[in-house]
């Protein structure tokens, strides 16, 4: 196995040993913030008590609300003079949380990101375009520093301005990018609309992440752009991108366990679940000094994939994120995730790249409407063909989610598109009568 960081070659035992040591140091460091000092005191836990990574279970969880309550910098464990950076989460689900970094934190983060890129096959000879938004969002600078650390010429293209993105890729012979799944499809489509073949671009690798997507979407991006897609995972609270990555086996995301302790819990009971069972991802930082976090509840739903990866790395893998527990909606008593719907839609070749799930209420009756963009060449079909497509989409959706939705076929490009993370669900159930 080719590796970027020696930690990638550690055995499972070595990883656990190092985790234990680093957990002790992390607890010492975290205790410098009053919030954690109190928690450690109440749990009666001293660094010396830690003999295995599982000892972390003696502590309560840290929630997103805790982070909000400690905003802006009350969880910092070093004096302001030692901090060099802050970021905020993009605020997809409510008021923001802030994360502060020391120089060492920024350096270890860059190394984790560089290591992640290397694991997908990116090398210093590659020209890399970062299509994540710069600014407070960690995807900009986080990925940028990683790519430079690896030694790639790095183009800080940022989000949006698709024409310019495409021009930069062509002009500089860009071979690797980091991009949102919804935006990757959009870029490919735009090139097609301009009468060119997106497969002719020099791209060979796309790291795709920052929002959930399905295996069907991965395959679609791969075939439209003729490249390999690797799932890339992170969140601001854990530095940002570079927390986990798919290696070239494309069989789940390795979480860098020398830097994070990984747990999957039952979101209802808080009980730790065995490998293989789906639940909420909980993470503890092991290398952070500016703002360590202990047992942070991410709200992301996934499972640990049992067994070893063929690549040889022993850092355990998680499955593709199913969604956030807050993305789930309940309709007629059934729990539904947007990704279940995406999985069905993207299986239809006639379906375009964008869709919107709309929850409505007529009187007391709750209904689900799915607006689906149809590719240009299919949209001109005659009514009977379209009607039968509509029916088969509704049928497949019912098989998956047990509810028969209304399916509206709409023209490609007609649904709203965001520059950042896609908004998949529009809940109009509480809208006033006669509202839209
Ligand atoms: P926000 O929480 O405001 O969106 P972040 O930018 O920190 O701010 O987003 C992190 C979240 O993005 C993760 O917790 C997860 O829900 C989602 N995410 C990041 N990468 C992926 C990925 N590869 N697959 C699915 N979801 C992802
Ligand atoms: Zn692997």
């Amino acid at each position: 196995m080719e590796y970027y960081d020696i930690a990638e070659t550690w055995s499972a035992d070595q990883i656990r040993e190092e985790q234990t040591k680093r957990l002790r140091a992390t607890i010492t460091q975290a205790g410098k913030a009053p919030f954690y000092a109190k928690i450690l005191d109440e749990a009666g836990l001293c660094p010396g008590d830690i003999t295995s990574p599982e000892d972390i279970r003696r502590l309560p969880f840290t929630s997103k609300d805790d982070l909000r309550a400690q905003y802006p910098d009350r969880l910092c464990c070093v004096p302001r003079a030692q901090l060099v950076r802050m970021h905020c989460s993009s605020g997809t689900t409510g008021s923001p949380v802030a994360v502060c970094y020391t120089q060492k934190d920024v350096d270890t983060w860059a190394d984790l990101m560089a290591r992640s890129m290397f694991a997908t096959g990116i090398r210093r000879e590659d020209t890399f375009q970062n299509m994540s938004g710069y600014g407070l969002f960690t995807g900009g600078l986080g990925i940028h520093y990683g790519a430079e650390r690896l030694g790639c010429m790095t183009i800080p293209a940022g989000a949006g301005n698709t024409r310019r993105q495409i021009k930069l890729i062509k002009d500089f012979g860009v071979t690797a990018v980091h991009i949102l799944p919804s935006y990757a499809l959009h870029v490919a489509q735009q090139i097609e609309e301009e009468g060119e073949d997106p497969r002719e671009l020099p791209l060979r690798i796309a790291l795709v992440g920052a929002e959930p997507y399905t295996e069907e979407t991965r395959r679609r991006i791969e075939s439209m752009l003729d490249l390999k897609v690797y799932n890339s995972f992170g969140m601001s609270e854990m530095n940002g991108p570079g927390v986990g990555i798919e290696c070239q086996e494309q069989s789940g995301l390795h979480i860098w366990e020398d830097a994070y302790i990984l747990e999957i819990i039952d979101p209802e009971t808080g009980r730790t679940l065995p490998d293989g069972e789906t639940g909420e991802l909980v993470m503890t930082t092991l290398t952070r000094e500016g703002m360590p976090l202990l047992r942070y509840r991410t709200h992301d739903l996934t499972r640990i994939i049992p067994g070893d990866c063929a690549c040889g790395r022993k850092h355990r893998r998680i499955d593709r994120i199913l969604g956030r527990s807050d993305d789930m909606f309940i309709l007629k008593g059934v729990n539904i995730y947007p990704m279940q719907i995406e999985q069905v839609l993207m299986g239809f070749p006639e379906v375009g790249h964008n869709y919107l799930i709309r929850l409505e209420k007529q009187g007391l009756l709750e209904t689900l409407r799915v607006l689906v963009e149809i590719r240009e060449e299919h949209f001109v079909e005659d009514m009977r063909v379209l009607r039968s497509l509509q029916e088969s989409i509704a049928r497949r959706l019912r098989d998956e989610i047990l509810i028969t939705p209304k399916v509206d076929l709409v023209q490609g490009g007609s649904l709203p598109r965001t520059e950042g993370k896609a908004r998949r669900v529009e809940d109009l159930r509480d809208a006033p009568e006669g509202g839209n």
Side-chain angles (χ1 to χ4, degrees):
M1 176 186 85
E2 273 189 280
Y3 62 88
Y4 176 82
D5 193 310
I6 191 78
E8 291 170 71
T9 67
W10 290 353
S11 67
D13 283 345
Q14 268 174 304
I15 292 174
R16 287 175 56 80
E17 215 171 287
E18 203 54 48
Q19 283 188 325
T20 308
K21 261 194 254 165
R22 293 181 182 187
L23 181 56
R24 279 187 211 122
T26 294
I27 284 179
T28 307
Q29 182 68 3
K32 294 178 188 166
F35 173 81
Y36 278 125
K38 183 158 171 282
I39 283 180
L40 292 167
D41 190 43
E42 280 168 6
L45 189 74
C46 299
D49 301 338
I50 300 286
T51 58
S52 79
E54 285 73 36
D55 287 328
I56 189 83
R57 295 184 197 163
R58 291 174 54 186
L59 293 175
F61 299 115
T62 301
S63 71
K64 204 163 205 144
D65 281 339
D66 292 329
L67 262 58
R68 288 181 179 133
Q70 301 300 315
Y71 181 87
D73 61 354
R74 282 193 286 277
L75 281 172
C76 286
C77 297
V78 299
R80 178 61 64 92
Q82 256 175 275
L83 294 172
V84 300
R85 172 97 68 83
M86 66 77 71
H87 279 288
C88 280
S89 80
S90 47
T92 311
T93 59
S95 57
V97 301
V99 181
C100 300
Y101 308 73
T102 64
Q103 185 59 54
K104 181 169 162 267
D105 292 336
V106 169
D107 284 339
T108 46
W109 179 18
D111 278 329
L112 285 170
M113 191 63 225
R115 184 204 293 190
S116 302
M117 294 174 66
F118 189 92
T120 70
I122 300 178
R123 296 293 178 268
R124 57 179 307 124
E125 295 74 21
D126 280 293
T127 300
F128 180 82
Q129 185 157 319
N130 185 14
M131 296 161 88
S132 315
Y134 280 68
L136 287 173
F137 176 56
T138 49
L141 293 181
I143 293 165
H144 189 101
Y145 273 53
E148 283 190 359
R149 177 66 51 96
L150 185 55
C152 298
M153 179 169 98
T154 306
I155 304 179
N161 200 341
T162 311
R163 278 226 167 72
R164 191 180 60 188
Q165 300 273 11
I166 298 168
K167 182 168 163 43
L168 287 167
I169 292 173
K170 288 181 185 160
D171 292 353
F172 288 90
V174 172
T175 49
V177 294
H178 202 296
I179 189 168
L180 284 162
S182 47
Y183 195 55
L185 292 170
H186 176 74
V187 169
Q189 190 176 8
Q190 177 137 343
I191 299 173
E192 277 181 355
E193 277 165 18
E194 286 169 8
E196 291 186 49
D197 182 0
R199 299 174 59 92
E200 311 258 282
L201 292 181
L203 299 175
R204 61 182 198 95
I205 292 177
L207 304 195
V208 176
E211 66 185 8
Y213 60 110
T214 60
E215 198 54 42
E216 286 72 15
T217 299
R218 180 226 295 271
R219 282 201 287 272
R220 197 174 261 223
I221 300 171
E222 286 191 329
S223 79
M224 286 189 81
L225 288 161
D226 188 26
L227 44 64
K228 285 279 179 205
V229 166
Y230 298 101
N231 201 345
S232 165
F233 175 70
M235 77 194 70
S236 320
E237 297 88 328
M238 295 291 129
N239 285 341
V243 174
I245 194 82
E246 264 181 343
C247 67
Q248 287 175 302
E249 301 294 327
Q250 291 184 311
S251 62
L253 301 113
H254 289 280
I255 298 289
W256 300 123
E257 291 191 276
D258 55 318
Y260 304 98
I261 292 178
L262 160 69
E263 299 173 84
I264 303 285
I265 62 157
D266 177 335
E268 304 291 325
T269 64
R271 198 172 51 87
T272 308
L273 294 174
D275 288 7
E277 282 185 35
T278 299
E280 179 178 344
L281 177 66
V282 170
M283 301 197 80
T284 298
T285 64
L286 290 175
T287 58
R288 242 186 6 199
E289 56 178 24
M291 200 180 125
L293 291 178
L294 308 175
R295 301 198 88 194
Y296 179 66
R297 287 187 66 153
T298 66
H299 291 190
D300 288 328
L301 298 167
T302 182
R303 65 183 186 111
I304 292 175
I305 299 175
D308 286 339
C309 183
C311 75
R313 293 179 183 83
K314 301 294 185 231
H315 297 254
R316 283 178 300 166
R317 292 162 299 156
I318 59 167
D319 212 341
R320 189 177 278 295
I321 307 278
L322 198 61
R324 308 189 197 214
S325 48
D326 1 29
D327 286 341
M328 185 194 78
F329 55 90
I330 303 180
L331 197 87
K332 298 178 182 170
V334 182
N335 298 358
I336 303 171
Y337 289 98
M339 283 309 113
Q340 291 177 279
I341 292 179
E342 176 171 317
Q343 190 193 332
V344 169
L345 296 180
M346 293 300 156
F348 284 88
E350 299 90 343
V351 167
H353 306 318
N354 205 356
Y355 63 94
L356 182 68
I357 300 163
R358 192 177 277 164
L359 311 179
E360 299 169 331
K361 197 165 184 175
Q362 289 164 338
L364 287 175
L365 189 68
E366 293 191 334
T367 53
L368 172 64
R369 188 183 292 277
V370 184
L371 294 93
V372 187
E373 284 188 3
I374 296 300
R375 284 174 190 248
E376 210 53 48
E377 63 269 31
H378 295 287
F379 204 69
V380 294
E381 307 269 22
D382 83 58
M383 276 303 276
R384 268 169 312 179
V385 179
L386 286 177
R387 176 130 336 125
S388 109
L389 174 64
Q390 194 176 22
E391 280 164 10
S392 38
I393 292 176
R395 217 174 313 120
R396 288 279 317 281
L397 282 170
R398 193 208 41 220
D399 292 344
E400 174 66 33
I401 60 177
L402 310 174
I403 284 178
T404 307
K406 295 186 174 138
V407 173
D408 291 353
L409 305 183
V410 303
Q411 198 165 5
S414 65
L415 292 175
R417 251 183 36 81
T418 53
E419 202 161 84
K421 306 192 185 201
R423 226 180 112 235
R424 298 302 189 190
V425 184
E426 195 176 59
D427 193 346
L428 302 177
R429 286 177 295 183
D430 291 328
E433 207 63 38
N436 59 347

